[in-house]
Amino acid sequence: MKETQEQTVPVRRLRDDLAFLDIVTEWDTLSGYHQWKAAAVVPATFRPRPDRPYVIAVANQKGGVGKTITSLELGLAMVARGKRVRIVNADPQDASLTAWVPAIYPDDVAEADRYTLTDVYYERCTLAQATWPTRYEGLFVVPSLPDLATVEKEVPTGAETCLRYHLREVEDDFDVTIIDSGPSLGLLSVAGLVAAHDVVIPVQAASALDIKGAVALYTTIHRVQSRMNRDLRVAAIVLTDFERSSLAREIGAEMAKAFPDALIIPARTCVDIGKAQMKQQALREFSPNATTVQDYDQGAGVLVEGHAA
């Protein structure tokens, strides 16, 4: 991994006077609808993980729920807090993190040596050798190409524990690694869960079907907990594309009931997300005052520091 910091953009903390959500300890199901307002839920039982390096898997087998923006915005919010962050793109789709925030390869690195996550699984390189800088200072990425799908078809030896070995057994200088999982519960997603300390589950606030998806994911999480990673926990539910509605309120209540010790983070909707993707910029850079950015920033603060400020 070679850094090219002269090409990068600094990631700054947000202003204190923005319209952050209130923080409460329970999801409000008692107020009348007209009195109800969205708030970030931090249960009294929640504690940030002391593990360093800290590994988070962002997972949901349903596509289009906001896994990539969740990974990217949480990562940048942690960078703004002084953390050195790596995002592992474990999604073989073309329209994934690698397309949104591409790796920056030094000029002296031959194309054959521009390693990706596929190379890590096939033991052609280490995870550190497949980690590259991005345009953001302090944020690094392990890119993926569509050939990552061959890992699930061919199942290289030790694939389920590959990431765990590189992230838990090999020393490096990252404070946080975020694994951006693909839209399935196959080998790649399971390998991310095996490696992680915490899971963050994005759920669309306007889709009741996402509740079923989260339940199916929990079944997989429970299996991983019982067999391969007893310390794994569901740390947060992110309600993506959040707009105030009775459905969003009901989905939030269902998630709070299913995961009583997890953060519930409403990530308010923003029309600028697509524009940011077109310009290959994170939303935090493209529209730093967006409420979506504020919501992810709050969640990241609680995850790594135990408080939002």
Side-chain angles (χ1 to χ4, degrees):
M1 177 183 61
K2 297 182 179 180
E3 298 188 36
T4 53
Q5 292 295 340
E6 69 276 5
Q7 301 180 36
T8 59
V9 176
V11 182
R12 297 182 174 85
R13 298 196 69 143
L14 301 182
R15 302 197 323 265
D16 294 333
D17 60 347
L18 298 176
F20 292 99
L21 292 172
D22 292 339
I23 295 179
V24 298
T25 57
E26 296 180 347
W27 187 263
D28 181 8
T29 59
L30 300 177
S31 299
Y33 180 74
H34 292 294
Q35 289 74 43
W36 172 72
K37 63 178 181 178
V41 176
V42 181
T45 55
F46 181 84
R47 298 291 183 274
R49 296 293 288 253
D51 306 277
R52 293 294 181 270
Y54 174 40
V55 183
I56 303 170
V58 176
N60 189 327
Q61 82 278 13
K62 188 174 182 294
V65 298
K67 288 185 291 293
T68 296
I69 188 172
T70 296
S71 299
L72 181 56
E73 292 301 324
L74 286 178
L76 286 171
M78 293 174 186
V79 169
R81 287 167 166 77
K83 308 301 182 185
R84 185 175 169 89
V85 178
R86 165 175 52 203
I87 302 180
V88 177
N89 181 15
D91 183 354
Q93 297 181 107
D94 282 329
S96 63
L97 179 76
T98 301
W100 190 351
V101 182
I104 296 177
Y105 301 105
D107 294 337
D108 60 348
V109 175
E111 188 168 347
D113 295 329
R114 296 178 178 182
Y115 297 121
T116 68
L117 185 58
T118 304
D119 296 305
V120 178
Y121 274 105
Y122 284 97
E123 299 184 350
R124 295 190 285 259
C125 70
T126 65
L127 188 67
Q129 290 172 317
T131 300
W132 304 96
T134 68
R135 62 183 276 110
Y136 300 106
E137 185 177 348
L139 183 74
F140 297 76
V141 66
V142 177
S144 292
L145 299 173
D147 67 355
L148 181 62
T150 61
V151 173
E152 295 207 334
K153 296 176 183 177
E154 298 179 359
V155 191
T157 301
E160 280 194 339
T161 57
C162 176
L163 287 181
R164 184 181 179 91
Y165 168 75
H166 284 281
L167 291 170
R168 301 281 196 104
E169 304 298 331
V170 179
E171 291 187 10
D172 62 21
D173 55 354
F174 287 95
D175 300 301
V176 182
T177 293
I178 299 173
I179 303 169
D180 181 20
S181 305
S184 76
L185 290 180
L187 171 62
L188 294 170
S189 293
V190 170
L193 297 174
V194 171
H197 299 105
D198 281 347
V199 188
V200 172
I201 306 176
V203 174
Q204 275 192 320
S207 173
L209 293 176
D210 281 19
I211 296 177
K212 295 182 179 180
V215 171
L217 174 61
Y218 182 71
T219 301
T220 301
I221 291 170
H222 181 69
R223 179 167 59 87
V224 171
Q225 286 172 324
S226 64
R227 298 179 184 178
M228 306 183 77
N229 186 359
R230 294 186 181 279
D231 296 330
L232 183 66
R233 71 169 179 177
V234 176
I237 307 296
V238 179
L239 303 176
T240 59
D241 295 327
F242 186 90
E243 292 183 305
R244 186 178 181 275
S245 69
S246 57
L247 177 59
R249 186 183 191 184
E250 182 179 351
I251 290 174
E254 289 290 334
M255 292 295 98
K257 180 180 178 181
F259 304 100
D261 298 319
L263 310 178
I264 307 294
I265 305 169
R268 288 167 285 182
T269 190
C270 176
V271 297
D272 286 337
I273 294 174
K275 298 175 185 178
Q277 291 171 328
M278 289 287 289
K279 288 187 172 292
Q280 292 188 320
Q281 294 180 5
L283 186 62
R284 191 182 182 100
E285 178 188 7
F286 185 83
S287 185
N289 295 333
T291 53
T292 311
V293 173
Q294 298 166 36
D295 300 335
Y296 279 115
D297 191 85
Q298 273 191 317
V302 177
L303 281 171
V304 296
E305 297 176 344
H307 54 83

